[in-house]
Amino acid sequence: MTPRDPIAILPTHEVFNVPIDIGDQDLWADDLALREWAGRLGGPSIISHLAATGKVFGAAEVFEKADQANRHGPELRAFDRQGMRINQVEFHPAYHDLMRLAVSQKVHNFPWAHGGAGGHVGMAALTYMFSQPEGGVMCPMSMTYSVVPALRAAPGVADEWMPRILSTDYDPRDIPAGEKTGALFGMFMTEKQGGSDVRAISTTATPIGTATGMGADYRLHGHKFFCSAPMCDAFLVLARTAGQDLSCFLVPRWRPDGSRNALFIQRIKDKLGNRSNATVEMEFSDVHGRMVGDEGRGIRTIIDMVTGNRMTCAASSAGLMRQALRQALHHTRHRSAFQRRLVDQPLMRAVLADMAIEVEAALALALRVAGAMDNAEKDADAQSIARVGTALAKYWNCKRAPSLVAEALECHGGSGYIEESIMPRLYREAPVNSIWEGSGNVLALDILRALTRTPETLSAVFKELEQARGYNGFLDRAIDDLRADLAMKDGQEGRMRDIGCKMALTLQGALLCQGSAEVADAFCASRLAGRYGGMFGALPQGCALDDIIERIAPES
């Protein structure tokens, strides 16, 4: 809570020339770029919900609870006082308040509960907004949203769990899911020896009875090394069956007979950021699980969940960048140096405008990919864009976030480097999305696979780019250069980071041509002109800085 009426006249000096508290933010109404792109790519049916949630999510009280939840992180309670295993993680009350808020506003299930057009765009926009005050809660929200396509691969499982996912009641009680008013999901894949190489997984699954295959019950034995949101009600897990192929299993916290499942939490990891969210190491000692999807097709079954998570990672990183930019703009509007406000000084204006261009490009890319997901079932090109775009948007947005947050922190000077500010928390949060669901190299290779295994994917990408041809000469040249780079097969794997960068920038440029001319022209002149070094504030002469900065947020 912001202190009331602080004393500015102190015994030795007067406190002045310091920014006022930013207070309540309207994360929808104050964000012109979000309103334009969500309307353009998602359609009118999602707007009323986004408008309502943006006001709620931006309340100062929500930001304060996020601060509390990260300062007072989760604690492990492996045993009760009699020494019996309970495998629980306890959270600060503020974390539960944030979870309750997110669930009540459908951040975990919007496309499935909405049922209309633009559901995934709405999900991306909700992620973008909620990630601004708090990133940790987005982990169980994203996984619950993303699990639905995998559950639908096993109709009996979907029939049991979908009503719980569609609930907007947050029920934190550690009891069987059938006794709760709602349920959330997680996903455990990573093991000590494998990391991103899931084919190195050693956890085994043995049938409990004579039945095998989809829908059958198994006992899982092994371990998982990175298990986030361990108090969710169920988890998708990969394990090896007798044929040594990986299969996908739904592992509930509680067995069907009402006893605790043997999910033995070993410890909570002491993470750099994302500290409100528990990430644990876990051992499976004959854990009960139910096969989801076909036996031996575990990676194929779970890949749709990975796709959804990657989209939310891209949207979340855009949200982190947006809040960092918003904080920098507020500070520079209320701080003066050398007889001028910081925001009125040429170099600072160039930095702010450049960051604004970056944020809008990241937002547009995330929402465009979400829009492709909305149309993937009925449009082959949309399916192709969704396939390569989730990897591309996650790769690029998550790479850009740490640099932008660091630049925004620098705009504050020393006051941005102290823990009373939100900036250190945003800075610690910024790298996590790059690591979760595939680091940069993994994603670069996934982009390559998407382009080479299905030639129609490459055609769909260039069809999208060619629609913008003629708008800007720099963009036209970038499209041609990208086509030439992709045609050169020699050493292509080793060049995929560079190709991924060029593809992301070119696609962002083509997207921005649909929106603000000032933003699009500045983006193409700075990012696609052949001299881009990635440093914020190095915009070429002639960019419409005033118009671009005004788009960030209205000046109160």
Side-chain angles (χ1 to χ4, degrees), residues 365-501:
L365 182 58
L367 294 190
R368 174 63 187 98
V369 171
M373 294 170 66
D374 278 320
N375 296 301
E377 291 186 5
K378 56 188 178 184
D379 184 284
D381 286 344
Q383 187 177 63
S384 295
I385 294 295
R387 170 66 181 89
V388 71
T390 48
L392 183 66
K394 181 189 180 302
Y395 171 74
W396 189 244
N397 284 6
C398 299
K399 285 292 179 199
R400 298 300 292 157
S403 296
L404 187 141
V405 174
E407 191 69 54
L409 189 155
E410 187 177 322
C411 292
H412 293 72
S415 65
Y417 201 69
I418 58 174
E419 290 293 338
E420 286 90 342
S421 164
I422 190 178
M423 296 307 301
R425 179 157 60 84
L426 293 177
Y427 186 65
R428 288 192 296 268
E429 190 73 22
V432 70
N433 289 323
S434 279
I435 296 167
W436 195 37
E437 300 302 353
S439 58
N441 287 348
V442 171
L443 288 163
L445 294 175
D446 202 21
I447 294 167
L448 177 61
R449 279 190 291 271
L451 295 174
T452 54
R453 290 184 179 179
T454 51
E456 58 269 23
T457 298
L458 187 60
S459 298
V461 169
F462 278 102
K463 185 183 295 186
E464 178 109 353
L465 295 175
E466 290 293 345
Q467 291 175 3
R469 185 177 287 277
Y471 179 90
N472 183 282
F474 295 129
L475 175 60
D476 292 350
R477 190 181 312 148
I479 295 171
D480 295 336
D481 290 346
L482 178 62
R483 193 185 295 275
D485 279 339
L486 287 168
M488 187 168 56
K489 305 301 182 183
D490 185 44
Q492 193 170 59
E493 181 176 324
R495 295 185 289 115
M496 277 312 298
R497 277 190 172 235
D498 180 54
I499 291 174
C501 166

Side-chain angles (χ1 to χ4, degrees), residues 50-62:
L50 296 179
T53 54
K55 191 173 184 66
V56 174
F57 292 169
E61 180 183 11
V62 174

Side-chain angles (χ1 to χ4, degrees), residues 166-444:
L166 291 175
S167 171
T168 53
D169 290 332
Y170 170 60
D171 190 340
R173 295 176 296 169
D174 186 17
I175 58 177
E179 301 175 27
K180 300 179 69 170
T181 58
L184 298 171
F185 266 78
M187 175 176 62
F188 302 159
M189 289 197 293
T190 305
E191 296 183 2
K192 294 175 183 175
Q193 73 281 358
S196 296
D197 183 7
V198 295
R199 296 190 184 279
I201 284 173
S202 62
T203 297
T204 59
T206 306
I208 291 176
T210 58
T212 61
M214 186 189 303
D217 294 329
Y218 286 73
R219 291 191 184 93
L220 278 66
H221 191 85
H223 81 283
K224 298 296 173 182
F225 197 47
F226 278 86
C227 306
S228 291
M231 293 305 292
C232 286
D233 300 284
F235 314 93
L236 287 195
V237 173
L238 292 179
R240 295 190 180 280
T241 52
Q244 292 299 301
D245 290 322
L246 289 172
S247 297
C248 182
F249 298 87
L250 187 153
V251 172
R253 278 190 60 80
W254 294 78
R255 295 189 179 102
D257 64 6
S259 63
R260 288 182 182 274
N261 215 349
L263 299 165
F264 290 162
I265 299 176
Q266 303 302 300
R267 63 172 177 167
I268 295 178
K269 291 184 178 291
D270 187 10
K271 296 178 296 184
L272 168 67
N274 200 249
R275 298 183 69 87
S276 65
N277 172 39
T279 300
V280 305
E281 299 170 17
M282 191 177 292
E283 292 184 355
F284 291 1
S285 181
D286 290 335
V287 163
H288 178 274
R290 188 177 181 187
M291 187 178 288
V292 176
D294 295 327
E295 184 170 5
R297 299 281 291 168
I299 294 177
R300 177 62 263 172
T301 301
I302 211 168
I303 197 67
D304 286 333
M305 188 174 185
V306 172
T307 296
N309 281 335
R310 286 179 173 178
M311 185 278 285
T312 55
C313 282
S316 176
S317 290
L320 288 169
M321 288 191 277
R322 162 65 189 181
Q323 185 56 215
L325 171 64
R326 184 70 184 86
Q327 294 284 336
L329 178 64
H330 177 79
H331 180 87
T332 57
R333 279 176 171 170
H334 294 87
R335 178 80 165 176
S336 296
F338 311 111
Q339 292 78 52
R340 282 190 295 179
R341 292 189 309 167
L342 293 177
V343 73
D344 296 326
Q345 304 202 25
L347 275 174
M348 184 60 77
R349 294 184 72 72
V351 169
L352 291 168
D354 207 358
M355 290 194 295
I357 294 165
E358 190 76 30
V359 171
E360 185 160 346
L363 171 64
L365 182 58
L367 294 190
R368 174 63 187 98
V369 171
M373 294 170 66
D374 278 320
N375 296 301
E377 291 186 5
K378 56 188 178 184
D379 184 284
D381 286 344
Q383 187 177 63
S384 295
I385 294 295
R387 170 66 181 89
V388 71
T390 48
L392 183 66
K394 181 189 180 302
Y395 171 74
W396 189 244
N397 284 6
C398 299
K399 285 292 179 199
R400 298 300 292 157
S403 296
L404 187 141
V405 174
E407 191 69 54
L409 189 155
E410 187 177 322
C411 292
H412 293 72
S415 65
Y417 201 69
I418 58 174
E419 290 293 338
E420 286 90 342
S421 164
I422 190 178
M423 296 307 301
R425 179 157 60 84
L426 293 177
Y427 186 65
R428 288 192 296 268
E429 190 73 22
V432 70
N433 289 323
S434 279
I435 296 167
W436 195 37
E437 300 302 353
S439 58
N441 287 348
V442 171
L443 288 163

Side-chain angles (χ1 to χ4, degrees), residues 79-98:
F79 301 91
D80 69 5
R81 65 190 183 92
Q82 281 83 23
M84 290 182 281
R85 269 278 189 177
I86 56 175
N87 296 304
Q88 289 182 343
V89 175
E90 292 186 340
F91 296 89
H92 189 272
Y95 176 85
H96 291 297
D97 290 341
L98 293 165

